[in-house]
Amino acid sequence: MNSAPYVGRFAPSPTGPLHAGSLVAAVASWLDARAAGGRWLLRMEDLDYPRCEPGAADIILRQLEAYGLLWDGAMLVQTQRDAAYAAALATLQDIDAVYPCACTRSQLAQAPRNHEGEIIYPGTCRNGLPAGATARAWRVRVPDARICFHDRIRGDLQQNLAHEVGDFIVRRADGLFAYQLAVVVDDAFQGITHVVRGADLLWNTPRQVYLQTLLGLPTPVYAHVPLITNAAGQKLSKQTRASALPETGRGTVMAQALAALGHPPPSELAGAEPAEQLAWARRHWQLENVPIRPAVANTAP
Ligand code: GLU
């Protein structure tokens, strides 16, 4: 366990405005930090800028404020952090933990996939590029060993990266640094002690723990909160056309988010301003009351 004072964070990707699902992750991390008397930092994960939507970052900031989710200090912006990611990649190169890869997406199309639907890299370039091939991406060599980690909601978990992920990308063929590398570098830079985020990221954690080990960075304490799904059982996201958080009736939306986290506000607070509901939830926050199962959105997504 980490005994440093609590520092949490919310790290949205500005691919669109926040929706009911991202609100749940934001509320959970805010409450967990505030209930512990901790700081709550904001990081705009605009690393994959071709996928970002112009104006979405500003909208997200306004949405957080309107929902009473105020953050501490200056926001960290990933597109300004290239030098830090490059330094981390250089460290990995120095210790020979990474290698260049020439594989294209179509060459890997037939590779086996894990339960998340991700390709398990078959190791084609692990022992050197094929003759005449050009390096495109950089991959981390993973061990054939269990990576163990503790999730405060899910308990003790483990994953064998070699079997379930394969050597994974830290710098992409388009030159962008990969999320896995950036998140580890940024969590350490921001001094994050506790990560509370959506369960869609649960199985990214072993990759991140492994990178922390390689880079000599501390491992935060993790908790993955349930996702909100639409009536079809799909995660709310831009791809499933989840609608942006509404500008009216915010109290109802906040009450639904709190209910999804196992903390339904008392009926007299159900229509109250989000900040008032948050103040109540902060006093009553018990992470063990957060369910593992996802909630279904009440409103049409
Ligand atoms: N940017 C990621 C997302 O919006 C979250 C990353 C994280 O919390 O580690 O899904």
Side-chain angles (χ1 to χ4, degrees):
M1 274 301 265
N2 207 319
S3 57
Y6 190 121
V7 185
R9 48 74 156 180
F10 181 53
S13 302
T15 52
L18 298 180
H19 48 70
S22 30
L23 180 69
V24 168
V27 166
S29 68
W30 188 94
L31 283 172
D32 202 56
R34 297 307 190 206
R39 288 164 53 76
W40 191 65
L41 308 184
L42 184 60
R43 178 163 81 233
M44 198 51 69
E45 295 212 325
D46 56 354
L47 180 76
D48 190 356
Y49 59 84
R51 283 189 56 233
C52 295
E53 193 178 286
D58 285 340
I59 294 174
I60 289 172
L61 301 187
R62 284 208 306 275
Q63 289 177 312
L64 289 172
E65 283 166 352
Y67 276 84
L69 296 163
L70 303 182
W71 60 96
D72 297 310
M75 168 174 78
L76 192 68
V77 178
Q78 285 194 322
T79 43
Q80 296 169 5
R81 299 269 302 145
D82 252 31
Y85 310 143
L89 178 60
T91 302
L92 295 174
Q93 288 165 335
D94 284 349
I95 59 173
D96 201 25
V98 288
Y99 62 86
C101 171
C103 297
T104 61
R105 209 176 282 258
S106 61
Q107 282 167 335
L108 295 174
Q110 301 308 318
R113 290 181 182 261
N114 64 19
H115 66 280
E116 305 268 293
E118 299 168 316
I119 284 169
I120 304 172
Y121 183 64
T124 321
C125 298
R126 188 173 233 239
N127 297 315
L129 295 177
T134 316
R136 293 164 46 81
W138 283 87
R139 288 184 185 272
V140 175
R141 218 182 291 279
V142 300
D144 184 358
R146 287 180 306 203
I147 306 287
C148 301
F149 68 104
H150 179 76
D151 182 279
R152 291 162 66 209
I153 297 175
R154 313 252 173 160
D156 290 325
L157 300 171
Q158 59 180 37
Q159 185 180 54
N160 181 312
L161 287 174
H163 295 174
E164 298 192 39
V165 177
D167 297 340
F168 61 91
I169 289 181
V170 283
R171 186 168 205 170
R172 304 174 0 176
D174 60 8
L176 295 180
F177 292 98
Y179 157 70
Q180 308 294 352
L181 182 69
V183 76
V184 159
V185 170
D186 287 343
D187 280 340
F189 177 72
Q190 291 188 289
I192 303 301
T193 60
H194 291 72
V195 171
V196 178
R197 60 184 176 187
D200 52 333
L201 294 163
L202 179 66
W203 291 110
N204 286 260
T205 311
R207 272 168 270 189
Q208 294 169 15
V209 169
Y210 184 56
L211 282 177
Q212 286 152 1
T213 309
L214 290 175
L215 292 166
L217 301 174
T219 293
V221 179
Y222 289 96
H224 289 85
V225 299
L227 299 178
I228 304 288
T229 63
N230 61 22
Q234 298 163 312
K235 173 196 159 189
L236 295 193
S237 71
K238 195 175 164 190
Q239 286 73 32
T240 59
R241 298 178 183 282
S243 45
L245 290 174
E247 300 205 358
T248 56
R250 291 192 193 105
T252 309
V253 177
M254 179 58 80
Q256 287 168 0
L258 291 172
L261 289 166
H263 291 71
S267 51
E268 65 271 19
L269 274 184
E273 285 300 312
E276 209 181 317
Q277 297 189 38
L278 284 173
W280 171 87
R282 173 183 180 161
R283 289 194 303 277
H284 293 86
W285 181 247
Q286 299 281 347
L287 194 80
E288 51 276 23
N289 289 345
V290 174
I292 293 183
R293 293 203 168 280
V296 178
N298 287 353
T299 48

